[in-house]
Amino acid sequence: MEMAVTISLDVKIDDDGANLNEICGQVKERISGELAVRVAEEIVKGMQDHVREKLCTPEGRAAKKGRGGHERPGPGGVRCRHRIFVKQGYRAEPRRVKTDIGEVSIPVGYVSCVVCGKKFSPLMGVLGLSAHQRHSTGLERLVSEVVTQ
């Protein structure tokens, strides 16, 4: 016998976004196990869609809430003053981050600046993840608490 089950869960996330620890914390309060990981992944996907949509609309800088700041390509680290972007697709492999609820797979979507051509993922900044970070600070905190006991 095969059965499809649909579950609905309302989660409130501030318009400014939430880092990965906050998302995992909210999910962990409500559910646990493999389902918690899948729910966290869906929340992150929804956040990413929202952020990319905001950045790729012709609204003013204030509507983008400071997101999309980037350096121009090339040496020198000169910041680009423009905030006009287009969507650029997704990374071939999802980014996997170990959290206190399990390993979360994040499909990384890119945008590029139409003026300087810089391609980047705005979601990583929103989630508070650095370039090569493979585990959340929530997991680090949990491990350090266990070790010190």
Side-chain angles (χ1 to χ4, degrees), residues 71-79:
E71 293 180 358
R72 290 177 177 263
V78 179
R79 303 225 10 112

Side-chain angles (χ1 to χ4, degrees), residues 42-135:
E42 289 302 314
I43 292 169
V44 169
K45 286 177 193 173
M47 251 179 66
Q48 176 164 245
D49 292 343
H50 176 74
V51 169
R52 289 177 73 206
E53 194 62 40
K54 254 318 185 205
L55 287 177
C56 295
T57 57
E59 297 173 355
R61 290 178 91 149
K64 296 178 183 178
K65 301 193 182 225
R67 290 191 192 105
H70 61 281
E71 293 180 358
R72 290 177 177 263
V78 179
R79 303 225 10 112
C80 180
R81 296 185 347 217
H82 302 280
R83 296 281 195 283
I84 306 167
F85 304 98
V86 293
K87 293 180 184 175
Q88 286 293 320
Y90 291 85
R91 182 177 165 181
E93 290 291 320
R95 175 121 174 238
R96 290 177 176 77
V97 180
K98 292 179 183 170
T99 69
D100 53 342
I101 62 171
E103 187 175 82
V104 176
S105 293
I106 303 169
V108 179
Y110 294 105
V111 298
S112 68
C113 178
V114 298
V115 177
C116 72
K118 174 76 175 192
K119 181 178 172 181
F120 65 98
S121 171
L123 180 67
M124 295 301 108
V126 172
L127 292 178
L129 296 174
S130 61
H132 300 287
Q133 188 174 347
R134 296 285 178 232
H135 54 274

